[in-house]
Structure formats: C-alpha cells, structure tokens
Amino acid sequence: MVDKGDVKPRTRQVSDLIFKYMRPEHLPQIWCAGCGNGIIMRDVAQAIENLGLSRSNTVIVSGIGCSSRAAGYLDFNTIHTTHGRAIAFATGIKLANPHLEVIVIAGDGDISAIGGNHLIHAARRNIGLTVVVMNNNIYGMTGGQYSPTTPTGEFGTTAPYGNIDRAFDIAKLAYGAGASYAARGSAYHVQQTISLIQEGIRHRGFSIIDVASVCPTYYGRKNKKGSAVDMLKWQRDNAVQAEKAKTMTPEELKGKLVLGAVSQSLHPEFTYEYGKLIERLYEEKEQREEQEKADMARIGKVTGQIKNSGEAPVSSPAGRERNELRLAGSGGQGIILASVILAQAAVLAGKYTAQSQSYGPEARGGQCKAETLVSDTPIGFTKVQNPTFLMCLTQESLSHYGKSVGPDCMVLIDSALTPPENLRPEQVVKLPILETARTKVGRLQTANIVAVACINTLIGLTDRSSMEQAVLMHIPKGTESLNLKAFEEGVRLASESLGALKGDGK
Ligand SMILES: Cc1ncc(C[n+]2csc(CCOP(=O)(O)OP(=O)(O)O)c2C)c(N)n1
C-alpha cells in the first residue's frame, strides 16, 4: 500500500471511493472504453467500504487476464498471480492466516478453463474465500478467443464459425461442487451486485459471485452486440430475478440473465476444520510425549535395577565398523522383532542402521529372514550384500542361507542344528538358544531375546544398556522381567562360549 497523502483527485468526477481504494500510480488503467470491469471493481470496493473491512486485513488475489488487473489497481494487500491459479494462491493465504478476508477477482477463462480444477476443489472444501468473476464471456486480454462461458452459437477468434460448445453456468458449477454461497450479478445491476458481494464476503465458507461484465471490444464486436451502452441495456432488459425465475419454464428462461443468490450449508468451513485438526494433533502429540516420558522412566527404572543387580559386566569383543547381520528361522520365532531390536539399539547407541525383512510366503509359517545393518559411518546401500553375521534357528534356513555366506562370516546356530559342509568349523558358533529359552527362562517365545543377547555379546554391536533399552521398547507391557531374564541368559550363554573359545572355561 502506498501513502497517498499528497495525491489529490484531478476532477470532481473521480469519486472519493475510487480515490480511497485505488493506486493512482497505476493509472491510466488498461481496460477499454466501455469495459464492464471497472464497474465491477467499484462494486467490490463499495462492498468492502460498506462492511467496514480493515485494509490490512483484506487481501485481493487475481490470476491473469483483463479482469486480473484489478489486483493491481486496488490498494489492499494484493497479489497478481499466474493464469488460473488465483484460487490456489488464495487458499495458501487463507490457510496461513484464516482471519484474513481473501477476495479473488478472476476472469471467466481464468476461473473456469485453466483454473477450473482449482475452482471445483475450493468449492468442494468450502474454504472461506470470496470469488468475484468478471464474466465477459470471452478471453479479453488475448484477443477474443471463446471461453467456457461463451454461449453456444456465438463467435470468438477461435470460434469463427460459431461456438459449438455448451457454456458453463459458473455459479451453478461451483454450487454443484459444494460452494456454500453462489450468486449472479451484472455490471448493470450495481446495487444488487454490491449486496451480493457483501453477502459473499460475510458468508462463512466458499462464496462465488459471477458478475456479467461487458466486453464491447471483443465479445460485443464479434457478436454484433452494439455499443457498451447497448450491452448494458441488454442486461437491464433480460435480467430475471431468481425468485421470479422459479416460476418460469426453461423455454422462457432461454437467453435470460438470472440474478440472485443461493446458499447451502453442506459442510463446515475448511480452515475452521483444519484448525480443529491441528489442535487435535497437538493434543495427541502432547499426550504421546507424556506417555513416552513415562515409558522412558519405566524403562530406566527396570534397566537400573538390572544394572544394580551385581552381575559382572560382560566384556564384548571389539566390534566391526560395519556389521551386516542376517537372521533367519521360521515364522513365529520372533526373528523380525530380534532384527528390529538390534537396529533400535544401534539408534540408541548413536550408530547408523538400516533394517529390512522378507514377507510373502516366508511370513506364513515358512522361512523368515530379516536383516540389520549397523555402521559407524553412513550406510549408503541399505541391503545386506555380504553378511558378516548369520544367525539361523531352523535347519531349513541354515541350509538355505548357510550356503551363500563367505568364510569370514560368523554363523550362530541353535545347538540342535547341523551346519552345511561349506562352513568352516571355526566360523560356526553353536548355542542352545531354544533350549535356554524353554528351560532356563521358562518360555520358548523368548528365544529371540536370548538370541539378541547372544549376538550382542558375541560381536559387540552396541553397549549392553542400549540393547536392554531396545528390548524393553519393543516387548509387550508386563513382560519386562521375563524378557530381561531371557536377555540375561543369552548374555551368560554367549559369555561362556566366548570364555570357552578363549580357553577360560577349560
Ligand atoms: C499459463 C498461461 N496460459 C495462457 C496465458 C495467456 N492468457 C493470458 S490472459 C488469458 C485469457 C484471459 O481470459 P479471461 O480469464 O476470460 O480474462 P479476461 O481477459 O477476459 O478478463 C490467456 C489465455 C497465460 N498468461 N498463461
């Protein structure tokens, strides 16, 4: 907005209203002599004046076309956007600040041809915009091409033999799409159009006021409609008020200009609903954070108890910089959960990790495979290519995956299994994982947690506390003691085996 303190009206004909709301530096304007757009722009200004809207709270948005120049001439917060996209820009503005009065001024081509999709979806959402269409039935700015509102049989630069399309009724189109207020005015019917625009602005929801303009230069000339005054007189003589139109037959209404408004309340206004959604999500986020805090406190308490249980800490062998772990077994053994827990522990320990698993037939009681990558440096390709560690809890999975591992891959298997011949005895670690879960912990289902502890103890993937926390984050509530016991047994099992490997136990 500019300070017009030192600019004075040049003639007494320049109304106070126009002077108050226009940007004089944009004069002279480009609309042709007799164009109806100036009248409609004044209607908008008058409606704003009558409603006493604050300038700083009012935004005018336009696309491209003769009509769209209004956003340049009117002195509010204005934005002259791209052809057809005024509603999209206006939607962004309204969502960013729902308290603003956002008024779109558009041409018929702008709003119902290139911008037609924006129109119907804004109407469907019932977003609180007010759209004023300067409907001159033609593309004015680009030289008189026919538009979606050019009546059938009429002429345009691109309809030299007469338009064979049927015209859109923009107000009905928007209403049908869900607009909660749709009206039609005309350049001739100034007072009524001002009232309709006022109602549209006051209306809470998507409102559209389709105002018949006059374009003597293109539409008028190509269709022999006479002068601008003749075209305005046509509006006067052919207008029918909506109430009266209800009593007339379609035949009688042919070629008439029906004026008035309809409104409906199908849905709540969009930004209001959006605000409610945001509020709800914030509340849920707060509740989630509270819950997480409580969970972490609970986990801390449980792990604290374990750490203070007097057990000697297990010394882990020096870990590799990058571990590619493949875990396999049968569906129901908790292989995927074990893999997830290993990845979770890596996250807690501040390492890079990637986790994936196989579904398909393997998930239905057959073979099951999951992979966890853990690295001190960024991972890049996230699939396991050369496993550094393989764990198998069934003979089938061992036969399948054991065949393809390299000589440096450590292979952890349940004691009941027989390793394939390609594996060197030194690379295979056999531990009674299932038996330990069944007899020492008392629940076979905890075998995956026994296995997690074994893996971490054998290869030193992360520190013990991260691993325990990860276990507690992923098991069902109420099973903490059971699973920590399983973890403990796994640590013991693997430590004994490490001791045996080093010769300590002998
Ligand atoms: C993406 C894009 N396509 C085409 C154009 C060219 N163009 C500018 S204005 C216009 C038509 C304007 O007609 P209408 O929306 O009915 O407004 P009027 O000029 O009649 O007020 C067109 C096609 C453009 N500027 N941008």
Side-chain angles (χ1 to χ4, degrees):
M1 279 178 275
V2 296
D3 175 10
K4 292 198 282 285
D6 57 353
V7 183
K8 295 277 179 296
R10 280 169 298 169
T11 69
R12 290 169 69 183
Q13 283 79 35
V14 178
S15 80
D16 289 347
L17 180 76
I18 291 299
F19 184 68
K20 178 173 172 186
Y21 287 122
M22 274 192 80
R23 294 182 169 124
E25 69 274 21
H26 282 244
L27 298 174
Q29 45 85 9
I30 64 151
W31 289 326
C32 306
C35 174
N37 290 356
I39 303 172
I40 302 168
M41 184 175 79
R42 183 195 180 283
D43 295 345
V44 173
Q46 185 71 59
I48 290 172
E49 170 79 2
N50 293 354
L51 290 173
L53 298 189
S54 118
R55 257 182 165 169
S56 57
N57 209 43
T58 305
V59 182
I60 310 259
V61 186
S62 73
I64 296 288
C66 299
S67 43
S68 297
R69 304 296 288 205
Y73 301 147
L74 288 170
D75 194 5
F76 293 88
N77 302 293
T78 60
I79 173 166
H80 190 174
T81 70
T82 48
H83 192 36
R85 309 294 175 227
I87 286 182
F89 282 87
T91 297
I93 294 166
K94 186 75 183 173
L95 273 172
N97 186 351
H99 302 293
L100 294 173
E101 289 295 350
V102 183
I103 301 169
V104 172
I105 298 183
D108 41 290
D110 199 43
I111 208 79
S112 66
I114 189 170
N117 232 354
H118 295 294
L119 171 68
I120 58 174
H121 292 290
R124 178 173 63 87
R125 289 185 176 132
N126 196 29
I127 184 165
L129 306 175
T130 306
V131 177
V132 176
V133 186
M134 295 180 169
N135 186 348
N136 57 9
N137 307 99
I138 207 145
Y139 284 10
M141 177 159 272
T142 43
Q145 296 83 0
Y146 74 104
S147 86
T149 64
T150 305
T152 312
E154 304 237 311
F155 297 88
T157 316
T158 46
Y161 309 111
N163 171 28
I164 57 170
D165 284 356
R166 284 179 304 147
F168 264 152
D169 180 324
I170 291 180
K172 275 191 186 162
L173 171 71
Y175 196 69
S180 47
Y181 178 89
R184 189 176 303 103
S186 93
Y188 178 84
H189 298 83
V190 168
Q191 290 310 328
Q192 183 177 11
T193 302
I194 293 169
S195 306
L196 293 172
I197 296 172
Q198 267 175 236
E199 272 180 37
I201 293 172
R202 264 202 313 248
H203 179 82
R204 196 156 184 233
F206 187 81
S207 56
I208 184 158
I209 305 98
D210 176 22
V211 188
S213 187
V214 292
C215 172
T217 304
Y218 286 113
Y219 182 69
R221 202 152 42 89
K222 284 191 179 295
N223 291 288
K224 304 195 172 16
K225 301 285 184 191
S227 67
V229 173
D230 293 331
M231 293 177 82
L232 286 167
K233 279 184 180 162
W234 182 91
Q235 291 184 349
R236 179 194 66 191
D237 300 338
N238 289 278
V240 176
Q241 293 300 325
E243 275 307 303
K244 171 108 192 292
K246 284 185 195 155
T247 67
M248 294 167 70
T249 63
E251 234 2 78
E252 289 170 323
L253 283 171
K254 233 182 193 161
K256 298 290 182 196
L257 188 60
V258 180
L259 304 181
V262 277
S263 63
Q264 57 188 348
S265 50
L266 295 177
H267 324 284
E269 196 275 323
F270 182 74
T271 56
Y272 172 72
E273 281 298 289
Y274 191 72
K276 274 194 344 199
L277 174 70
I278 300 284
E279 233 169 68
R280 200 189 81 208
L281 293 180
Y282 268 116
E283 270 169 27
E284 286 176 7
K285 183 169 172 265
E286 270 170 28
Q287 283 167 6
R288 228 179 15 249
E289 283 170 357
E290 287 293 313
Q291 185 60 46
E292 273 166 17
K293 260 193 228 158
D295 285 350
M296 287 317 283
R298 185 173 53 81
I299 288 169
K301 231 163 118 193
V302 181
T303 51
Q305 279 167 12
I306 291 294
K307 280 207 204 91
N308 296 334
S309 67
E311 294 291 339
V314 176
S315 59
S316 304
R320 289 178 188 246
E321 191 191 299
R322 181 186 170 98
N323 285 281
E324 300 200 0
L325 284 78
R326 180 170 287 155
L327 314 188
S330 68
Q333 284 184 320
I335 296 291
I336 291 172
L337 182 61
S339 170
V340 168
I341 289 172
L342 293 171
Q344 177 75 66
V347 172
L348 293 174
K351 299 190 178 229
Y352 294 92
T353 186
Q355 197 279 324
S356 65
Q357 57 233 10
S358 290
Y359 286 108
E362 294 180 351
R364 298 193 192 104
Q367 281 181 43
C368 169
K369 181 195 69 170
E371 295 178 344
T372 305
L373 267 107
V374 177
S375 173
D376 292 342
T377 52
I379 284 177
F381 190 64
T382 55
K383 297 293 285 181
V384 166
Q385 287 177 299
N386 296 307
T388 56
F389 186 93
L390 171 69
M391 181 192 77
C392 294
L393 293 186
T394 61
Q395 190 63 49
E396 292 78 8
S397 61
L398 178 57
S399 310
H400 185 74
Y401 294 109
K403 274 188 295 198
S404 54
V405 294
D408 294 332
C409 175
M410 183 187 276
V411 181
L412 169 65
I413 61 173
D414 188 74
S415 301
L417 309 182
T418 314
E421 284 175 2
N422 64 301
L423 298 179
R424 297 181 296 122
E426 308 86 80
Q427 75 183 119
V428 179
V429 179
K430 272 186 160 194
L431 293 176
I433 297 170
L434 301 176
E435 188 56 21
T436 300
R438 191 168 40 233
T439 56
K440 297 244 166 83
V441 187
R443 278 282 275 281
L444 181 59
Q445 285 98 320
T446 60
N448 59 343
I449 306 302
V450 174
V452 162
C454 289
I455 295 170
N456 197 46
T457 309
L458 289 173
I459 62 172
L461 208 56
T462 71
D463 60 288
R464 179 174 169 165
S465 152
S466 300
M467 202 54 78
E468 279 178 342
Q469 280 198 29
V471 168
L472 290 167
M473 285 168 80
H474 288 272
I475 53 160
K477 281 202 181 109
T479 66
E480 288 88 349
S481 313
L482 187 72
N483 280 291
L484 286 171
K485 169 112 174 77
F487 191 86
E488 205 52 47
E489 289 298 337
V491 170
R492 199 188 325 274
L493 204 57
S495 307
E496 281 168 13
S497 129
L498 281 175
L501 283 177
K502 287 182 202 152
D504 300 358
K506 296 202 171 161

